[in-house]
Amino acid sequence: MESLRQLLLILFLVPGLMTLPVRAAAEDAFPLLETTIADIHAAVAKGELTFQALVQAYQARIERYDESTGVNALLLINPEALSRAAELDAEYARTGTFRPLHGIPVIVKDNYDTADMETTAGSIALKGSLPPDDAFQVRRLREAGAIVLAKSNMAEWAFSPVVTVSSVGGTTRNPYDLERVPAGSSGGTAAAVAANFGVVGLGTDTGNSIRGPSSHTALVGIRSTIGATSRDGIVPLNLRQDVGGPMARTVADAVRVFEAIAGYDPADPITERSRDQLPASYSEFLDQDGLKGARIGVFRRYMTEDNTDPRIIALMEQAIADMEAAGATIVDPFDLSFYSLRLLPLGCDRFVFDVNNYLATRSDSLAHDTIQAIYEAGLYDPSVEDRMVSKLKADSAPDDRVFPCNDVYSNRFTTSFRKALLAAMDKADVDAIVYPTWSYPPRLIGDLDSPSGNNSGVLAPKTGFPAVSVPIGYVDDTLPTGMTFVGRLFAEPDLIRFAYGYEQATLHRRPPPGFE
């Protein structure tokens, strides 16, 4: 082993020794398809793979599939990825140890600040502008050894939960059916990870946008408790509900990313709530028998014939039976007698206020540094014009409104809703609630009229509770579908146990056809 490390060190310190033939060898010898963090580290430890060869292989796969298929998931390939991989190879050759995400290529949604690549949030108004530094979560990933491989397309300004279209990147398609959408707004990350353009990815979720795209592309998506992860350096949509987090092909890989990014950040005061709330390790909750003894409530309000495709109801019924077979006690139905609380003003629009504050941090490199200026310059995709207008009309300081638009823990309406949901869970003695992440299959590109089916916008975002979406199968054996677990504040360990137990009992994930 020591001689192998010495050889690796020579290869990566002497220019020119690692060239394209190594990429070809990696593509031939190491299977990228559905590989995991553990697979990659095992292959490197055995001397079967290097991180530089891994990056080259992913770059070749992106070049082969992204544009030619029209999936159009990615905006930028990081020009520094290969040199970063070489550094990490040399580090491993020198130390013989891996950092938690050592050498792992990550797809990052283009609303995360990356100091070495432009960050646009899908807006042509930010094209070419470099942020001053990395977002907190990106910095954490790099410290854990990850390689930012590429930036992904997104719904412009993260507006749409339904489609992923931007003035920077155009339309992203669903790799499972290129005539269909990957949902929004993290559809670029979802399509890229699902098509195996990277190992894992980062998305953001204000009311759907990690879990919806994950459901549409057979991925695992984690929306954490608000305050468990920092939003610093993420272009906001609504800081009252914004969360950034992982999207991955397996629960274990999603958890490895979450473990790296969770924690207190003084630049995001909401993370003060995470102090003394986070375990030393989330990976310890990857329990194959994690559903044994769990009490799972079935939220039937999102599973009626009036609001859900019968094929998705059938998949959910099978998922419920599978959870019971894996040792869970099913509480069916779990209901909220207070559900009329949805009529309270639980939502409020902070977009202009929050984004203008963010743009001020980048004003030195922007010609248009307010939403009003961007709108007046016409720097947006025509599909978002109505949204821009409505948000500009809602522009006022959050604390100056009749109903203050303060954070989810301070607002009296969201606090009432959270207490009521918690009381209902306590009364039913359930550890988590489940429902279909999306009630209808992915829409066809251009279809804005059929039911969307987004179930993700209320229970978790309006309470601050965490939620995890996992694959439960395929409509007509082709179109992915997901199920969401929702738990109490900082109950990510429970949700990880349940999601992993379910995943291991069913193993629904498979790669999209045409991307093998």
Side-chain angles (χ1 to χ4, degrees), residues 51-52 68 153 170 199 248 266 321 352 392:
F51 296 120
Q52 189 175 6
S68 67
N153 194 28
V199 184
V352 173
L392 283 165

Side-chain angles (χ1 to χ4, degrees), residues 252-334:
D253 280 0
V255 169
R256 293 281 289 274
V257 174
F258 182 63
E259 201 162 55
I261 63 175
Y264 172 69
D265 174 16
D268 185 358
I270 202 75
T271 62
E272 180 69 35
R273 291 181 170 271
S274 71
R275 289 184 181 273
D276 302 321
Q277 293 286 343
L278 309 186
S281 168
Y282 285 99
S283 296
E284 67 181 274
F285 300 102
L286 294 170
D287 181 359
Q288 189 164 340
D289 296 322
L291 279 166
K292 284 187 177 179
R295 289 180 58 84
I296 307 296
V298 179
F299 194 55
R300 288 279 169 183
R301 287 182 181 266
Y302 288 164
M303 291 176 59
T304 74
E305 293 181 359
D306 294 334
N307 63 21
T308 306
D309 187 295
R311 296 168 294 179
I312 289 180
I313 292 177
L315 290 172
M316 274 297 300
E317 298 292 3
Q318 183 60 55
I320 292 164
D322 289 339
M323 286 189 289
E324 189 167 29
T329 297
I330 304 300
V331 178
D332 188 4
F334 169 82

Side-chain angles (χ1 to χ4, degrees), residues 12-13 48 122 174 199 203 220 236 276 326 346 391 394 415 473:
F12 289 97
L13 291 181
E48 300 170 351
N174 191 320
V199 184
V220 177
D276 302 321
L346 295 175
K391 289 187 177 298
T415 297

Side-chain angles (χ1 to χ4, degrees), residues 115-144:
D116 51 356
M117 287 185 288
E118 67 183 36
T119 297
T120 72
S123 170
I124 198 170
L126 277 63
K127 183 74 175 168
S129 169
L130 281 176
D133 53 18
D134 283 337
F136 177 86
Q137 291 190 27
V138 172
R139 184 169 72 252
R140 279 288 188 91
L141 290 185
R142 295 199 211 251
E143 290 169 354

Side-chain angles (χ1 to χ4, degrees), residues 433-450:
I433 307 162
V434 295
Y435 53 81
T437 306
W438 205 273
S439 289
Y440 292 89
R443 282 174 167 176
L444 290 167
I445 299 284
D447 174 12
L448 299 177
D449 298 320
S450 63

Side-chain angles (χ1 to χ4, degrees), residues 69 82 104 113 254 373 410 453:
T69 63
L82 204 54
I104 300 303
D113 283 355
S410 304

